[in-house]
Amino acid sequence: MIPFVRKTLVMQFRAGATNRFPVLAHLGYDAEDPFAVTAVFSHDGRVLARWRLDREMLAAGLRGPVGVGDVRFRPVATGQWEELRMEFLGDARTDGGRHQAVVFAWAPAVAAFLRETREVVPPGRERVRVDDFLTQVLAGG
């Protein structure tokens, strides 16, 4: 069995009040980090952002609104087009607000990626190597 899943999808990115523009989203899942999905957004060969997302939160966002902190997901339907709206909040701005970016993904493509991750590690079968984790924490501190 292959212990990872990699997909590159075209998504739509919107920062602030700008119009949407296409970006590449490189999604990664590794059985060694079974609860997380890595998303790297790039445009014209430059990395715009890198986020580590909760796999189950991402799946829940396809069904309904989730998240109250820096990352929020919710489904959006416009006619027959189903999207996953991913909102990312960043650092504070000088006006008191926060930087914000919104990414729109074609929901069926994200669902297909998540199905592949579940073939690698089914929900409920995730394992965390506590000894390895503690060794890392103690070595860093």
Side-chain angles (χ1 to χ4, degrees):
M1 176 187 298
I2 298 173
F4 55 86
V5 178
R6 302 280 186 264
K7 290 281 184 213
T8 298
L9 305 174
V10 176
M11 297 185 182
Q12 297 290 316
F13 180 83
R14 187 181 75 213
T18 65
N19 291 326
R20 293 183 184 192
F21 63 91
V23 296
L24 291 178
H26 309 280
L27 302 178
Y29 178 79
D30 188 332
E32 294 294 316
D33 190 7
F35 295 102
V37 169
T38 302
V40 178
F41 301 101
S42 66
H43 181 70
D44 286 340
R46 292 186 344 214
V47 172
L48 301 174
R50 178 174 289 130
W51 286 84
R52 193 166 168 265
L53 309 171
D54 180 277
R55 177 173 75 157
E56 290 310 308
M57 184 178 165
L58 191 58
L62 291 168
R63 297 184 303 273
V66 295
V68 293
D70 293 344
V71 179
R72 301 171 187 172
F73 304 133
R74 68 179 165 95
V76 177
T78 54
Q80 293 198 328
W81 188 256
E82 295 178 31
E83 294 180 313
L84 172 63
R85 181 184 193 275
M86 299 180 278
E87 180 180 2
F88 302 98
L89 299 173
D91 296 332
R93 295 188 317 240
T94 55
D95 66 2
R98 292 178 70 185
H99 290 280
Q100 175 193 36
V102 179
V103 178
F104 296 89
W106 189 48
V110 175
F113 169 79
L114 290 171
R115 274 193 303 278
E116 288 185 48
T117 72
R118 290 185 192 109
E119 290 173 11
V120 173
V121 179
R125 296 280 180 103
E126 299 93 346
R127 301 236 187 278
V128 176
R129 297 180 182 164
V130 176
D131 291 340
D132 293 345
F133 173 74
L134 289 175
T135 300
Q136 269 184 336
V137 169
L138 294 173

